[in-house]
Amino acid sequence: MAQGSGGGFGRRSLLQGAAAGSAALALPALSSAAPAQARSGRPGAGWGVQTGDVTASSGLVWVRSDRRARMIVQTAATESFRHARTWHGPVVGAGGDFTGVTALHGLPAGEQIHYRVLLADPDDPRRTGEPVTGTFRTAPDRRRENVRFLWSGDLAGQGWGINPDRGGYRIYEEMRRRNPDFFLCSGDNIYADGPIPSRVTLPDGRVWRNVTTEEKAKVAETLAEFRGAFRYNLLDANLRRFNAQVPTIVQWDDHEVHNNWYPGQLLDDDRYTEKNADVLAARSLRAFGEYFPIRTLHPDRGGRVYRVVHHGPLLDVFVLDMRSYRNANSPGRQTDDRQGILGAEQLRWLKRELSRSRAVWKVIAADMPLGLVVQDGATDFEAVAQGDPGAPLGRELQMAELLRHIKRDRVTGTVWLTADVHYTSAQHYAPERAAFKDFEPFWEFVSGPLNAGGFPAVKLDGTFGPAQPFVKAPDRANTSPAETPQYFGEVDIDGGSGELTVRLRQEGGQVLFSKVLQPGRVGQ
């Protein structure tokens, strides 16, 4: 996002100036020391559970222990756990920050799955902690079943963290009540480059108070600090409750490492002793893989963030990584740019998988918008658009190649979803308005932030002919969540008609904009 810039936690680092709201947040009572130190009793899972990359027959279950433990998962059709199936997961330990993921396979399609995670002493399997429960729905295997999912991004940005006076990240409770099949997080899950202060005075004199931790008192540089940044959000009871009910599809963007970073960059930031963005990115990616269940990414084996998640006959979600393979931010005037923002290999993968997809709808989950001009300093550009409304240049060349492929291979039902800019909007791209005309019309929808500063709308670039029928953004930079609403998007796919409806919502549930798209079309 271009706007602005190990273990648990100790009681001494919590709620500086915010003790009054601590009970409402139900914070996990863990130590800031390594979990295995000086602990007696049975293993505990105070950070909750979560599931990810759920399909019609599979899913991943995540947990974090307070010490070395064997992860055991039980699944059943009911909350009683009669006729439960048992899955023996890994032994979690210090090497993975006591996190673990167990893969579930052979699940029934379109069913509610109840699960519980037990943590057992590896040396004495009879010693188990209290089970932590959750539930999720597998994707349907029949076209006539409806699908609902939500998306947004940008959490704990610009110093706006967990505020106990507001009930923490209350947007997650609102989204949970929408009962979606899954949640797509479009990046900036953490702000590794954004410390969380104990309090911030707002323009009107009110005081915003934050839950704070030692790791979030500075920018993240070490692996322990990155782990602490990912752990920070799990202090919020709303998010833990959400995670226990709603599977996630997660991607990353710049603030998982540093504002506007790109491979090979040396940071010009006095807050850092480690200036090499590649070193920081490797540490962050390891922590990212430890704290989110992602099918293609294992913390100890590398892997990749980009992937396609199949959600039954109606939907495929193409999760992009527009950060790890990009070229350097620049004025974007190159007439030949094969690396672009995706890298050549990811582009080949995306074209191939879009052509192979037989889903009615192909959601392209982009961590950055296409036609919004997102700058990086006075002369460089951070996203795809570079402010010149003429023929494609720079990173636009790669997007033009992709859009041309979608048209010529007659790939139907593409919809672009993103976050990043900290406001909500809808863009319709059409060749009759564009400088580049070899593509079919499509829609791009923007939502977020979840809990971060709001920023004014940026300009549109005319290369791909965007029109903006809706935008809602503040009129000044870095408005707090107490001053301007936070946003999330909702997508409903009707199993009977195949129609896809997008609703842009704000905190409180109000629908700001909606659009119904028809299935089976190359362009809308």
Side-chain angles (χ1 to χ4, degrees):
M1 142 69 184
Q3 316 279 17
S5 75
F9 52 88
R11 284 291 173 190
R12 60 193 170 87
S13 68
L14 277 177
L15 294 177
Q16 298 173 7
S22 60
L25 290 174
L27 300 166
L30 304 179
S31 167
S32 61
Q37 292 179 359
R39 288 281 171 79
S40 60
R42 300 170 185 270
W47 301 95
V49 289
Q50 57 178 308
T51 53
D53 286 8
V54 170
T55 70
S57 62
S58 66
L60 304 174
V61 176
W62 175 97
V63 75
R64 184 177 193 263
S65 177
D66 64 356
R67 73 200 70 192
R68 186 171 175 268
R70 166 72 69 180
M71 181 181 180
I72 301 169
V73 180
Q74 293 179 328
T75 62
T78 64
E79 291 179 283
S80 69
F81 285 93
R82 291 187 62 189
H83 310 297
R85 183 178 178 185
T86 299
W87 312 76
H88 293 279
V91 173
V92 302
D97 203 28
F98 301 92
T99 66
V101 171
T102 297
L104 311 180
H105 300 284
L107 301 175
E111 297 290 338
Q112 196 74 32
I113 306 296
H114 296 270
Y115 70 94
R116 59 187 176 193
V117 177
L118 294 163
L119 294 172
D121 185 332
D123 302 316
D124 183 359
R126 296 169 299 177
R127 292 173 57 82
T128 60
E130 288 293 323
V132 183
T133 61
T135 186
F136 63 91
R137 281 192 300 276
T138 51
D141 60 359
R142 294 177 297 177
R143 174 171 169 162
R144 297 194 66 82
E145 295 189 39
N146 299 340
V147 173
R148 168 178 288 177
F149 72 93
L150 310 178
W151 93 93
S152 189
D154 309 290
L155 186 60
Q158 290 74 47
W160 311 113
I162 301 169
N163 184 340
D165 298 333
R166 302 183 78 241
Y169 296 154
R170 61 191 190 192
I171 195 170
Y172 278 96
E173 177 61 15
E174 188 172 311
M175 293 193 299
R176 186 187 70 83
R177 291 176 180 173
R178 301 297 304 161
N179 196 26
D181 294 299
F182 65 89
F183 174 64
L184 167 64
C185 191
S186 302
D188 291 345
N189 301 269
I190 64 166
Y191 277 69
D193 56 340
I196 299 292
S198 61
R199 54 199 293 124
V200 180
T201 302
L202 304 179
D204 62 5
R206 288 180 295 164
V207 174
W208 174 285
R209 299 189 297 162
N210 285 314
V211 172
T212 61
T213 66
E214 293 175 18
E215 293 94 340
K216 285 299 295 178
K218 66 178 290 292
V219 298
E221 298 180 83
T222 67
L223 176 59
E225 288 165 349
F226 280 108
R227 286 168 166 169
F230 283 102
R231 218 164 32 243
Y232 176 81
N233 291 326
L234 294 176
L235 296 176
D236 183 73
N238 300 300
L239 178 53
R240 296 198 305 275
R241 192 162 46 245
F242 181 85
N243 284 345
Q245 178 177 321
V246 181
T248 56
I249 298 176
V250 183
Q251 61 194 131
W252 78 337
D253 196 30
D254 58 333
H255 286 289
E256 273 78 12
V257 179
H258 183 273
N259 186 45
N260 296 356
W261 78 275
Y262 50 82
Q265 183 184 25
L266 296 178
L267 304 183
D268 181 16
D269 189 330
D270 293 338
R271 300 175 300 170
Y272 286 78
T273 56
E274 176 57 72
K275 306 286 189 181
N276 189 328
D278 291 349
V279 172
L280 297 171
R283 292 169 181 168
S284 179
L285 188 61
R286 176 170 174 175
F288 183 83
E290 291 169 345
Y291 276 85
F292 292 115
I294 296 175
R295 177 174 50 82
T296 56
L297 187 62
H298 189 280
D300 296 324
R301 296 198 294 267
R304 53 181 168 84
V305 173
Y306 70 85
R307 61 204 187 277
V308 57
V309 180
H310 303 290
H311 197 82
L314 285 174
L315 176 65
D316 281 343
V317 181
F318 296 84
V319 185
L320 304 189
D321 181 351
M322 303 174 84
R323 187 58 51 182
S324 302
Y325 312 101
R326 62 166 55 202
N327 50 21
N329 291 351
S330 73
R333 299 302 194 266
Q334 305 95 312
T335 57
D336 183 13
D337 190 351
R338 300 182 186 278
Q339 185 174 356
I341 200 167
L342 297 176
E345 182 178 343
Q346 185 177 188
L347 177 62
R348 286 193 297 270
W349 165 85
L350 180 57
K351 291 195 296 185
R352 180 180 68 248
E353 293 301 321
L354 281 169
S355 295
R356 286 177 176 175
S357 174
R358 295 298 174 261
V360 176
W361 293 100
K362 293 92 174 166
V363 164
I364 300 175
D367 36 304
M368 303 209 73
L370 293 185
L372 306 186
V373 181
V374 184
Q375 290 193 255
D376 180 14
T379 60
D380 294 344
F381 294 90
E382 157 72 352
V384 175
Q386 30 72 308
D388 177 353
L393 294 170
R395 293 169 180 161
E396 293 172 337
L397 291 163
Q398 195 176 64
M399 289 300 109
E401 181 181 344
L402 174 61
L403 295 176
R404 183 187 296 115
H405 171 82
I406 290 171
K407 175 185 176 181
R408 296 185 178 180
D409 231 34
R410 299 198 60 78
V411 178
T412 62
T414 58
V415 180
W416 292 69
L417 302 181
T418 189
D420 185 71
V421 289
H422 292 223
Y423 60 83
T424 184
S425 66
Q427 287 80 236
H428 181 252
Y429 294 81
E432 61 267 21
R433 296 188 296 263
F436 173 78
K437 298 184 180 300
D438 194 9
F439 71 100
E440 295 288 353
F442 65 95
W443 282 88
E444 172 188 60
F445 300 96
V446 179
S447 192
L450 287 162
N451 194 96
F455 284 81
V458 299
K459 297 179 180 178
L460 297 179
D461 183 312
T463 297
F464 300 118
Q468 194 171 61
F470 172 78
V471 61
K472 184 174 182 182
D475 58 6
R476 62 179 175 85
N478 197 18
T479 57
S480 76
E483 300 167 272
T484 53
Q486 307 294 277
Y487 303 108
F488 65 94
E490 180 179 73
V491 176
D492 280 298
I493 306 176
D494 184 88
S497 67
E499 289 181 341
L500 182 147
T501 302
V502 178
R503 297 179 182 90
L504 300 179
R505 293 182 177 270
Q506 71 177 28
E507 190 176 6
Q510 180 184 355
V511 176
L512 304 173
F513 177 84
S514 64
K515 180 67 182 178
V516 179
L517 303 179
Q518 299 301 319
R521 298 184 181 179
V522 179
Q524 294 277 345

